[in-house]
Amino acid sequence: MKRYDKLYINGQWVTPHGSGYTQIINPATEAAFAEVANADLDDVNAAFAAARAAFPAWSRTTAAERAEWIRKLHAALDKRKDELALAISQSMGCPLEIAKIIQVNCVKAFEKFADRAFEMEKEVRVNNSLVVREAAGVCAFITPWNYPLYQLIGKVAPALATGCTMVIKPSSVTPLQDLIFAEAVAEIGLPAGVFNLITGRGGVLGDAMVTHPEVDVVSFTGSTATGKRIQKLAADSIKRVCLELGGKSPFIITEDAPLEKAVTFGVKDVMINSGQTCIALSRMLVPASRYEEAVQIAKRVAEGLKVGDPMDKDTYMGPMSSMGQRDTVLSYIQKGLDEGAKLVTGGLDYPAGISKGAYVKPTIFRDVNNKMAIAQEEIFGPVICMIPYSDINEAIAIANDSIYGLSSGVWAGTQEAAIAIARQLRTGGCYVNGGDFNYDAPLGGYKQSGNGREWGDFGIHEFYEIKSMQL
Ligand code: NAP
């Protein structure tokens, strides 16, 4: 078993002050394959002290200098893409071949932040004022396990571009890609203290990170419950808090949509990464007149997806990220049954031929009422709720009847018709007629799905202050 016994603080691999290790478990086999050191509060303090000390010089670098560092770091990461995909696949179960795309393609998008560094040099004259941008300061980053590299880069890239310094704590389920990232940081010799990595449990380190006096910006991706707690804790010192939280995204299929294509897209969208995608379109809204047909298509598509070993090239769906997440998903499937929803496919048993590991069958519920818990709460698993509607206004009302507002989808007869519906959805994103994910577009939520935006040109906005000088 590989042991990672160091933290990356102030440009050095250091022995933690904290004690013990967290085991990293392969959810396909339930076996531990690595262990990672637990930081403690002294390590938190050392990491933020380093980030604070590095801030004055780093924030005064030119955009061209920071762009050069981003390009160097991109090149160092690019060499290690296969290693990154393997580390992610082994620790959270995403099939390796799929991980190379959906988990690791974000490395390519990292480089674009080199150009975005120059946004910081934009100055505006407003009458007698000179308005300039300045780095927001020291950042605390806390990330989850479902797309761990994507979530890391979505925060680190804009922070580097704008001149912020940072301390990162990855999920204790999936810290390995962050450790590889830190190795790349060390390899290129990024100035000490700009990037610091601590590992350990959120429940132990989280409060200290989000209340730390040296922190100016907290950026958190994870559950809405933890996000609420963080926002409250950080309020005492008025830190800027950026939250990327949960979702329960609706997918409206209209009467004149190509049903086979639309339902197939919707099922595969949810089942990829075993349903552990914050923007997964987990509520499928179908016109009552086409409901039976849609249910049959969904059943056929779900049952045709290969579930199994993440190392097998043909696998579409691996296990859940952990046995704990499997328990959560199964408890929601039971809750759906108790609430009166009907199983179209899937359910509580292991998939055929599997008897261990964190596997769950691709599951589709029909006869779901939007008021049911399975339609309101984020399950974060391979579970789709199929909800019938009578007219498009009702569909839009159902879609918006959620505490969440992260993403949505619409598939209509024409792109124009779909966009007209998309404009009425209270969500930060919308997938129109099967549109592709775009790393250059901003991602973030309305309502309890969070605030702020990551990625694209908007992704740097959280990381700078605006100063006006009256001349
Ligand atoms: P989580 O339980 O909230 O954990 C997320 C991170 O917070 C982990 O690093 C965790 O550390 C840490 N943490 C736990 N307790 C904490 C505390 N008291 N204070 C500070 N940090 C704490 O969420 P998750 O289950 O890992 O992630 C899944 C959730 O993330 C889903 O709700 C999903 O929708 C959401 N998500 C949102 C987006 C988006 O862009 N909106 C993207 C991806 C995921 P440990 O792992 O060590 O406990």
Side-chain angles (χ1 to χ4, degrees):
M1 176 155 26
K2 183 152 183 188
R3 174 176 276 193
Y4 296 85
D5 59 356
K6 300 270 194 301
L7 310 174
Y8 190 72
I9 296 177
N10 204 23
Q12 304 287 328
W13 287 103
V14 298
T15 301
H17 185 269
S19 60
Y21 293 86
T22 298
Q23 295 211 322
I24 310 305
I25 314 279
N26 182 334
T29 61
E30 299 182 45
F33 67 98
E35 53 185 12
V36 172
N38 292 329
D40 72 3
L41 300 186
D42 286 342
D43 298 312
V44 170
N45 287 334
F48 282 114
R52 174 56 65 195
F55 180 70
W58 179 248
S59 60
R60 282 199 298 269
T61 52
T62 64
E65 286 168 320
R66 294 193 301 280
E68 193 49 33
W69 282 115
I70 290 172
R71 290 199 184 95
K72 274 191 199 159
L73 188 50
H74 168 259
L77 285 174
D78 199 56
K79 288 189 295 194
R80 303 185 70 172
K81 283 199 300 202
D82 285 348
E83 198 185 336
L84 286 161
L86 183 64
I88 295 169
S89 179
Q90 285 182 325
S91 45
M92 56 72 68
C94 182
L96 181 61
E97 292 306 312
I98 293 179
K100 286 178 184 171
I101 302 163
I102 65 171
Q103 298 281 356
V104 176
N105 266 355
C106 56
V107 168
K108 199 164 54 188
F110 180 42
E111 197 181 16
K112 300 219 173 155
F113 284 87
D115 293 335
R116 293 184 182 122
F118 292 90
E119 289 290 303
M120 290 299 289
E121 296 187 343
K122 284 192 175 159
E123 299 185 350
V124 189
R125 276 298 291 264
V126 185
N127 303 331
N128 66 319
S129 299
L130 176 65
V131 181
V132 301
R133 300 172 181 195
E134 293 181 350
V138 173
C139 306
F141 293 154
I142 302 178
T143 53
W145 42 259
N146 60 332
Y147 289 92
L149 181 66
Y150 165 87
Q151 284 128 1
L152 175 72
I153 291 180
K155 298 183 194 309
V156 172
L160 290 176
T162 49
C164 293
T165 59
M166 65 211 84
V167 176
I168 294 113
K169 192 214 80 71
S171 166
S172 48
V173 178
T174 53
L176 302 186
Q177 68 295 317
D178 286 48
L179 288 155
I180 295 171
F181 194 101
E183 286 168 9
V185 166
E187 180 192 322
I188 65 162
L190 189 73
V194 171
F195 173 102
N196 304 277
L197 175 69
I198 55 175
T199 50
R201 303 248 175 218
V204 176
L205 306 174
D207 286 9
M209 289 183 72
V210 305
T211 57
H212 202 282
E214 295 297 354
V215 172
D216 301 293
V217 177
V218 176
S219 180
F220 169 78
T221 302
S223 62
T224 294
T226 309
K228 283 180 187 175
R229 177 184 166 80
I230 287 175
Q231 183 145 36
K232 283 180 196 151
L233 285 172
D236 268 347
S237 49
I238 320 287
K239 296 187 195 312
R240 182 177 296 182
V241 179
C242 312
L243 300 171
E244 302 290 341
L245 309 176
K248 190 74 192 180
S249 302
F251 177 30
I252 299 178
I253 299 175
T254 66
E255 191 86 42
D256 56 350
L259 199 63
E260 177 80 32
K261 265 189 177 168
V263 173
T264 302
F265 167 84
V267 172
K268 289 186 160 179
D269 172 84
V270 172
M271 300 309 169
I272 202 156
N273 215 35
S274 301
Q276 303 162 123
T277 303
C278 54
I279 54 175
L281 302 172
S282 53
R283 291 184 293 148
M284 187 183 286
L285 277 52
V286 183
S289 59
R290 306 196 71 184
Y291 192 68
E292 294 307 324
E293 199 188 338
V295 163
Q296 289 315 312
I297 298 169
K299 175 176 165 63
R300 176 164 39 80
V301 175
E303 290 177 357
L305 298 174
K306 183 157 191 262
V307 183
D309 183 356
M311 295 299 131
D312 181 337
K313 282 188 160 41
D314 298 329
T315 298
Y316 188 81
M317 214 179 94
M320 309 303 304
S321 59
S322 64
M323 293 303 279
Q325 189 62 16
R326 177 176 189 265
D327 290 345
T328 304
V329 173
L330 293 185
S331 73
Y332 269 112
I333 294 175
Q334 183 60 56
K335 193 177 270 186
L337 294 169
D338 296 345
E339 287 179 307
K342 304 270 183 314
L343 274 179
V344 174
T345 187
L348 297 164
D349 299 331
Y350 266 123
I354 295 175
S355 55
K356 67 186 276 202
Y359 291 93
V360 174
K361 282 179 168 176
T363 296
I364 296 182
F365 276 115
R366 59 170 296 160
D367 300 343
V368 178
N369 178 313
N370 198 52
K371 298 291 179 210
M372 292 177 178
I374 55 166
Q376 286 292 323
E377 296 172 22
E378 185 182 44
I379 299 175
F380 225 50
V383 182
I384 294 178
C385 296
M386 295 189 73
I387 305 174
Y389 69 84
S390 53
D391 62 49
I392 195 65
N393 290 329
E394 189 195 14
I396 292 166
I398 294 172
N400 286 331
D401 177 17
S402 171
I403 59 164
Y404 295 112
L406 185 56
S407 189
S408 59
V410 179
W411 204 312
T414 64
Q415 192 178 83
E416 294 66 37
I419 290 173
I421 297 167
R423 288 184 192 278
Q424 298 176 66
L425 300 179
R426 299 285 299 158
T427 60
C430 187
Y431 288 78
V432 171
N433 288 8
D436 279 340
F437 185 81
N438 178 3
Y439 287 104
D440 292 328
L443 190 143
Y446 290 14
K447 302 195 265 183
Q448 292 190 31
S449 290
N451 55 40
R453 294 294 178 266
E454 291 188 338
W455 297 97
D457 293 344
F458 288 93
I460 66 167
H461 289 190
E462 320 288 341
F463 295 97
Y464 60 77
E465 291 282 7
I466 293 174
K467 176 177 282 177
S468 57
M469 292 178 246
Q470 283 55 250
L471 311 180

